[in-house]
Amino acid sequence: MRSLLKSIGVAYLLCAFALPAWAVSLLRDPDIEHSLKELATPVLNAAGLPAGRMSILVVDASSLNAFVIDREHIFIHAGLLLKLETAEQLQSVIAHEAAHISNGHLARRPANARAAQNLAAFGIALAAAASATGHSDAGIALGIGVQSSAQRSFFSHTRAEEASADQSAIRYLTRAGVDPEGSVQVMDMFAGQELLSAGRQDPYARSHPLSRDRLRAMQAAASAYKDRFPSNPDANYWFARAKGKLGAFYRAPKWTLRRAGESGHKDIAEMRKAIAWHRSGEGSAALSAMERLVAAAPNDPYLHELHGQILLERRSYTAALSAYKKAVTLAPQNALILGQYGHALLVSGNPKAALPYLERSANKEQRDARVLRDLGGAYARLGQNGMASLLTAERYALLGRPKDATLHAKRALGLLKRGSPGWQRAQDVLLASESADK
């Protein structure tokens, strides 16, 4: 979270549409995303969606909004997540966005927007780009943008779609054993927005048209299940953990320290304090807190990951590598953790050891440009300049910079063996970048 959490450096992914008219940043953190996945899985399963292939991602924006752009990602603004008060409210937001997917509302998006997952489509590509500093505190900004002429049609829903999504969301929640009253509470948050001018409305109200009829219909549907579903302690914990960690990164450290125990969970309170102390430069207190957390939950990979991050940013490389290695051992399929361990190995001066972890991360999370940057750096240090140029070209392609992508793709073609897999990838980048440049 470089612009926000410069001293923390939580892993970012930057997804950018080429030449965006506007952009926002996505916050990537393995712990927060795991917590959101725990909350989303029962709801997505109830919606008939492949929960294992879907990601719930947090947008770095203080405004209130949530949206979908394809069948594999649900985006929630940090401001909305921090505004919500219960797990049921968050699950209702997820259920509503899942309904837009299940009900086929994405089908009316412009044809070029439906190509968002094609990494070679510069015109409107779901992509990634890293910060250029190369330091351990370097985050990756994530931007999602579209040409201004397509913005409204790309993100906005009709009133009919909203009413349909409301009713579907109620069904998904009740199938998942979640109290649908959370949906009513979320809608109450936006009550009266339709009376404001467009410029003063929350983005959610602009992209999800509100009406009194919608609210009444939602209240009637939810009332049929009143007191039927008790609160779920596990869901409450994961909600508190996601919100607590995000808040510790997002808000001022003093604010966090005053309210660290609000969640009612001692481990979350200790984690929030550790983050706040680290951001305040109180490294000893932060590390002591992390040591207590890891000792109490030695099999939690996300605590080891955070421990490694704090150690790395304090330039305690040996201890950081140990913490990251433990995290990888406990979560060997997590692309973000693999990438962070590879980054730690690279900055500590071991590119040969970093390479396999970075490659595994890139194979699992192909849009993480920090990994592409680190992979390129590792190849360069190992004397494989052709592969280094290829990775640089692919990173620029994902950033939506066709001229730079073309330059490095041509360089890669001159260095790689003709017909090899790398050479073919460079050809793909060159063809796409030249087409986009035209």
Side-chain angles (χ1 to χ4, degrees), residues 20 27 31 40 75 82 133 176 200 204 206-207 244 253-254 267 310 315 323 367 390 421 425 436:
L27 309 180
D31 193 0
F75 298 88
L82 294 175
T133 65
R200 296 177 60 196
Y204 191 88
R206 293 196 296 272
S207 59
K254 289 184 178 179
D267 61 331
I310 293 174
R315 289 173 167 70
R367 294 179 294 270
L390 169 62
R425 282 164 55 189

Side-chain angles (χ1 to χ4, degrees), residues 39 43 84-95 173 177-186 229-233 235-236 239:
L39 290 162
V43 176
L84 299 175
E85 298 179 349
T86 67
E88 291 84 0
Q89 290 177 1
L90 177 54
Q91 287 174 307
S92 76
V93 172
I94 294 170
L173 291 169
V178 178
D179 188 352
E181 180 62 23
S183 294
V184 178
Q185 294 166 354
V186 171
F229 300 105
S231 182
N232 185 322
N236 293 338
F239 173 75

Side-chain angles (χ1 to χ4, degrees), residues 381-395:
R381 294 189 195 184
L382 293 171
Q384 299 185 44
N385 294 327
M387 289 300 295
S389 294
L390 169 62
L391 269 297
T392 302
E394 290 179 335
R395 182 163 67 87

